[in-house]
Structures are given as structure tokens and as C-alpha cells.
Amino acid sequence: MFTKNYKTTDESFWNGRIDSLDDFYAYRWHQWIERIDLTDEKLTPYEDKLGIGFIGFCSDEGIKINNGRVGAFDGPKAIRKKMANLPCCFSKDVKLFDAGDIINRNCTLQESQDLLAISVEKILDSNLFPILLGGGHEIAFGHYNGVLNYLKKHTKKPNIGIINFDAHFDLRPYDKESSSGTMFRQISDICIQENIDFSYFCIGIQKHSNTLSLFKTANELNTKYILAEHMEKKEEIDLLNKLRNFISQQEYIYITICSDVLAAAYAPGVSAPQPLGITPQILLKYLKYILKSKKVISFDIAEISPKLDIDNMTSNLAASIIYSLVDTLCKMK
């Protein structure tokens, strides 16, 4: 199963402009990335300042099941293409690793999510900070399980807070089958099984994109959230205080971004574009605030759909968000 639906990244994905062959401070990411194979038993933990481990989740099966517009299967490739030319904003003791892709073909969605969980656990075992490239937002279920399985080896009762930048709660029932709209309902049930807290905070929720039933479910599960409309109108200090209170109760934070949280003017290449979404500047302000807690253990960005994009705007924005993430992590080390 692992070898069938896991592939290392093609070397041709990482190429681009070269300003210098010997001056590291003129390097771009494609000159500094190292491909790794998660099936390699000789993999050893990274021991320098900071190691970043990228892995793609090539799937939009969850979007299809959720009756959304497909196309996110090719998201990881598009994001890599835009990341390739990013400048190295760090010193040589920071290293980038590409761990390849999980491919959702000729297997069930559950199987690909299980495989993703194994991969995330391996990346964390290698002392790397995981950055996952979507793919549909169903990436979140496998990602969370990978973090949980890793932490269970180090603590009896992991305390993981989920912060989701999203226009949707993704708390739909999954009686028949799971999708890109059910992940956090599934995670809440796993938390019950594991006897751990379900700690979930959504940023950018849209009233017109969630039924009253979903708001009811969110309240029943003690979900914290910030409406997108309040991010433009309310006093920022009140919203950040609400977020700070949530963060203070967590030992670890897992951040996931569904790109439909962003206004369609900035992120047109998603399954469900949001005309009233938040701006990238607001997202980055909140993202950096969370990162500065030093509790973030893992990150993903989902729902990048190249075939629905305009002039690669959405994949370029995803790469820019990842750049800011890496830059902030490096400055805190």
C-alpha cells in the first residue's frame, strides 16, 4: 500500500532561476531543497536548527463526495512550482526536505488518509516541521491522526488544539461516507475514543456558507470561532484575546488553512470561492500571531485547484503564505 500510493517527488519539479551557484544568500528554494524517501529505513532525525518537511496530498476525492468542484488533486505540484523560486530567507542551518506525495488513486479516501497519517508521523519522527500541500481539505483528517499518533508515543494524553482558517466549519455528519466537509466531526469522535479534549477554533467563518444546524453542532462541540465579517469590523484586540485564550489552553497547535477562507479576488482557484472572504494580510497577521506562541507542531494548506485558478494566483498565494510561515519559524529559533 505504501509503495503503491506514495511517490517521491520528481526532481524536475524543483527548478527555476539561478542567481548564483556559490553565494548561499542568493539561493532560491529549488537550490536548497533535498528530496527524501519516507520508505528509506536509513532516515535519521534532523539535528540542526530547523528542518522543514514538505509532503503533498494529491486528492480531491473528498471534494467530489461533498459535491464540490474538483481540481485540487494537482494542487501540490502547482504550489511546488511557485515555491521553487522563493529566496532562501534563512541561514544554512535551516534545511528544506521534500518527502514526496500521497496519491489518492486506486484506493479509498480512508486508505489515502491513513497513509498520510503514517507519513506525517514519519516526518515528525525525523525531527522535521511538517508542511502539507493540498489537495482537498480532507487532508486534515489524515494530518491530525499523524500528529496524534506521534504525540501518543511521547505523552499519555496529547493536548492538541486545531486552528482552522476556513469559511466552513466542516462538521457535517458522515453516516454514509466521509468527505471534505466532515473531517472535524470525525476528529471530534476520535477525541472521544481517545478520551482527549476536542479543541477546535475556526477563523473566517461565513454565515452564508454554514447552515444553522452546523452552527448548532459547532456550539455543541464547544467550537470557538471568529466570523469573517467581524475581522473587518470588530476591534482586533478583542479577537486576538479570544484566540490567545484558546492557545493558552493548548500544549500543541495544528494549523490548517482552507484557501476558500480568502476573498475570491485573491484566491479564485478553489472549489467554493468566497466573494466576502478575508484578505491575505489579515490571514498572515493571525498566522504569525499563532506561530509566535511556539506551540505549533504542524501546518497544511488545502483546496488549491490549478484548473480553476486565474494566472496561478491561488498557488502563488499559497507559496507566499508558506514563505511567511517558514520565515517566522526561522526567526523564532
Side-chain angles (χ1 to χ4, degrees):
M1 176 65 182
F2 202 99
T3 54
K4 183 179 76 169
N5 292 94
Y6 167 73
K7 289 186 178 180
T8 55
T9 307
D10 192 305
E11 192 172 337
S12 65
F13 281 9
W14 290 100
N15 61 76
R17 178 181 178 130
I18 296 177
D19 294 328
S20 176
L21 293 172
D22 50 24
D23 177 10
F24 172 76
Y25 294 102
Y27 275 20
R28 299 177 185 272
W29 283 17
H30 69 89
Q31 294 175 272
W32 195 239
I33 196 102
E34 179 181 329
R35 293 181 304 141
I36 57 174
D37 185 345
L38 294 179
T39 65
D40 185 355
E41 295 181 358
K42 296 180 181 179
L43 272 182
T44 56
Y46 185 71
E47 296 180 351
D48 222 323
K49 178 180 175 180
L50 174 66
I52 304 290
F54 297 105
I55 187 164
F57 185 62
C58 300
S59 170
D60 50 19
E61 182 64 20
I63 296 175
K64 181 180 179 181
I65 294 169
N66 200 32
N67 297 316
R69 300 188 303 164
V70 296
F73 183 95
D74 295 316
K77 182 177 180 180
I79 299 171
R80 280 188 179 96
K81 186 175 181 180
K82 291 302 178 182
M83 290 197 302
N85 271 318
L86 292 173
C88 291
C89 56
F90 39 73
S91 54
K92 288 185 178 181
D93 50 7
V94 174
K95 189 67 179 177
L96 308 176
F97 299 91
D98 189 338
D101 291 307
I102 303 302
I103 314 290
N104 180 234
R105 276 198 179 135
N106 301 315
C107 67
T108 66
L109 176 57
Q110 178 71 54
E111 287 172 334
S112 64
Q113 289 169 322
D114 290 345
L115 187 51
L116 182 65
I118 294 170
S119 303
V120 170
E121 186 179 352
K122 283 177 176 282
I123 290 170
L124 287 166
D125 282 337
S126 299
N127 197 31
L128 302 176
F129 181 91
I131 295 181
L132 277 61
L133 315 174
H137 205 189
E138 62 264 28
I139 193 174
F141 186 63
H143 192 167
Y144 177 87
N145 281 324
V147 173
L148 177 61
N149 293 338
Y150 167 78
L151 290 176
K152 280 166 63 176
K153 295 186 292 190
H154 302 278
T155 180
K156 290 183 179 179
K157 198 172 181 180
N159 177 0
I160 309 168
I162 304 166
I163 297 180
N164 177 26
F165 289 85
D166 202 332
H168 308 90
F169 284 117
D170 291 337
L171 289 168
R172 294 175 185 269
Y174 59 102
D175 300 336
K176 294 182 180 179
E177 56 184 342
S178 61
S179 72
S180 62
T182 65
M183 307 82 61
F184 302 107
R185 185 76 166 264
Q186 293 172 266
I187 290 171
S188 72
D189 287 343
I190 289 209
C191 290
I192 292 172
Q193 295 169 19
E194 297 285 344
N195 192 29
I196 58 177
D197 292 334
F198 175 60
S199 299
Y200 182 37
F201 196 118
C202 294
I203 300 175
I205 289 292
Q206 296 280 0
K207 282 185 178 179
H208 66 265
S209 297
N210 296 272
T211 63
L212 291 178
S213 177
L214 286 169
F215 275 97
K216 182 174 180 288
T217 299
N219 291 329
E220 289 172 349
L221 294 173
N222 197 30
T223 299
K224 312 301 181 187
Y225 60 88
I226 296 173
L227 296 173
E229 63 186 77
H230 288 171
M231 300 177 81
E232 298 288 348
K233 298 176 183 177
K234 272 199 171 183
E235 288 293 329
E236 185 178 88
I237 190 167
D238 293 338
L239 301 181
L240 290 177
N241 281 339
K242 184 176 182 179
L243 182 57
R244 182 184 66 203
N245 290 338
F246 176 84
I247 292 171
S248 69
Q249 298 171 40
Q250 318 305 323
E251 188 174 359
Y252 300 97
I253 299 288
Y254 153 47
I255 299 176
T256 177
I257 296 177
C258 182
S259 299
D260 68 20
V261 74
L262 293 155
Y266 304 98
V270 298
S271 176
Q274 290 294 329
L276 300 177
I278 66 174
T279 67
Q281 290 83 357
I282 288 177
L283 184 148
L284 287 175
K285 183 177 292 187
Y286 279 77
L287 177 61
K288 290 176 182 179
Y289 183 86
I290 300 163
L291 289 169
K292 288 175 182 177
S293 71
K294 297 187 177 180
K295 293 183 177 183
V296 179
I297 189 171
S298 200
F299 170 89
D300 66 50
I301 186 163
E303 305 261 344
I304 310 295
S305 184
K307 80 173 189 177
L308 302 174
D309 211 355
I310 299 171
D311 199 24
N312 301 309
M313 288 173 60
T314 315
S315 54
N316 194 29
L317 178 54
S320 298
I321 291 170
I322 291 169
Y323 175 89
S324 293
L325 170 80
V326 173
D327 184 47
T328 304
L329 289 174
C330 291
K331 289 175 178 176
M332 294 190 307
K333 285 289 184 175

